[in-house]
Amino acid sequence: MKEIMTPLSLLITALAAWLNERNNETIDFLREEVATYQAIAGTGRLPFTDDQRRRLAVKGTKLGRKRLMELPTLVQPDTILAWHRKLVAKKHDYSAKRGPGRPSTRADIQKLIVRMARENPGWGYTRIMGALANLGHTVCRTTIADVLKAHGLEPACERNRKPTWVEFLRAHWDVLAATDFFSVEVWTPKGLVTYYVLFVIELSTRKIDITGITPNPGAAFMAQMARNLVDDEDGFLRDKRYLIHDRDSKHTEQFLRILSSSDVKSVRLPRRSPNLNAYAERFVLSIKSECLDKLILFGERSLRRVCDQFVRHYHTERNHQGLENRLIDGRATTTGSIRCNERLGGLLKYYHRAA
């Protein structure tokens, strides 16, 4: 008599069959992985071949990420699934069958378009198109517009709205100077006193002038410093037309008025913008990190001597990266015995060849 299966026994049988199928898939995947590992170990190479990746991806995808995480696999489950996604994407990749289409603009021409737009803010698409034609490149206005848009550059009407700070500096490089203060703590008979050092820097050459040193930079001091800077004989600003400075109250109205009487225009920086006076800030960093921070100063005379020695070293013995790693004043020599000049007890050194 044929046995009649109850619903419960039918369910158990179906479940057992499903589990057996899942186990077979797991075993099949592990066998393939072991074979792959043996092939890699035999050759001594770690990377999988494309064929090995393809087989593991097909078998691993059947298990799913959760079950792969439970197995001691050679690669991460996400890696196997990523291989599978690439395999599917490659199956539906018809790029090889596409026609040639319109070629993209050459990279060197794109760079030239961007360079012209950045260096000439007033040039529109047509002007750039003409400049490119002068160089033998035929490019339409639409292509120029697309290239500039891709590089985040606005049309000429937007770029030419106002000059940037870099453009202003380049246009007035030879007649531009900057000034600032830095403070130094000095030991005196009255204890530790803060001295303020006023300096001016010529931006085109990086030359420095220590204009004044005082513990009390009041109105009278600043007025005298202004007279010294614009002196017709040896004033540091006698050939300059613009002086960049911050909004420090030490730059008094009288100070600025004396400069203005000698055609030196004041350029006040926005608040909290030291990066706009970067050359002056860099000199402060240099003199403090290379010199002042390594010394204990006793009296104003000591401070003046140290500043004088550093400025001499700065001008004639120190290479400047902003000047293509050259000296401000001085020339390198290639013949003669090597000697070392020392300042401030060897704190500042300069190696050169004797003439």
Side-chain angles (χ1 to χ4, degrees), residues 2-18:
K2 189 175 182 180
E3 184 179 359
I4 301 176
M5 298 185 64
T6 64
L8 179 59
S9 61
L10 182 62
L11 177 61
I12 293 174
T13 302
L15 180 61
W18 178 79

Side-chain angles (χ1 to χ4, degrees), residues 136-150:
H137 301 305
T138 303
V139 184
C140 66
R141 294 179 76 258
T142 304
T143 300
I144 295 173
D146 292 340
V147 170
L148 295 183
K149 183 178 179 180

Side-chain angles (χ1 to χ4, degrees), residues 312-319 327 341 343 349-350:
R312 291 175 183 270
H313 172 76
Y314 181 87
H315 283 155
T316 62
E317 302 170 351
R318 184 183 185 277
N319 297 82
L327 302 174
N341 283 358
R343 296 182 185 271
K349 293 185 174 66
Y350 171 59

Side-chain angles (χ1 to χ4, degrees), residues 163-236:
T164 65
W165 192 250
V166 173
E167 293 167 349
F168 175 82
L169 292 179
R170 289 176 178 174
H172 303 88
W173 202 240
D174 294 331
V175 293
L176 199 59
T179 184
D180 204 352
F181 283 91
F182 64 87
S183 60
V184 185
E185 299 298 325
V186 179
W187 286 100
T188 69
K190 297 181 180 180
L192 200 60
V193 176
T194 301
Y195 275 78
Y196 296 90
V197 180
L198 174 65
F199 70 94
V200 182
I201 180 171
E202 186 179 62
L203 299 190
S204 60
T205 64
R206 308 294 202 277
K207 289 184 177 180
I208 289 290
D209 177 63
I210 300 294
T211 308
I213 300 175
T214 180
N216 300 302
F221 169 81
M222 293 301 294
Q224 184 58 50
M225 295 302 101
R227 297 187 191 98
N228 295 343
L229 288 171
V230 297
D231 184 77
D232 292 336
E233 296 293 331
D234 56 359
F236 193 78

Side-chain angles (χ1 to χ4, degrees), residues 112-113 116-117 120 123-133 144 148 159:
L112 190 56
I113 293 173
M116 289 181 174
N120 305 278
W123 286 16
Y125 303 146
T126 304
R127 180 68 180 83
I128 295 176
M129 182 174 64
L132 291 172
I144 295 173
L148 295 183
R159 299 197 312 272

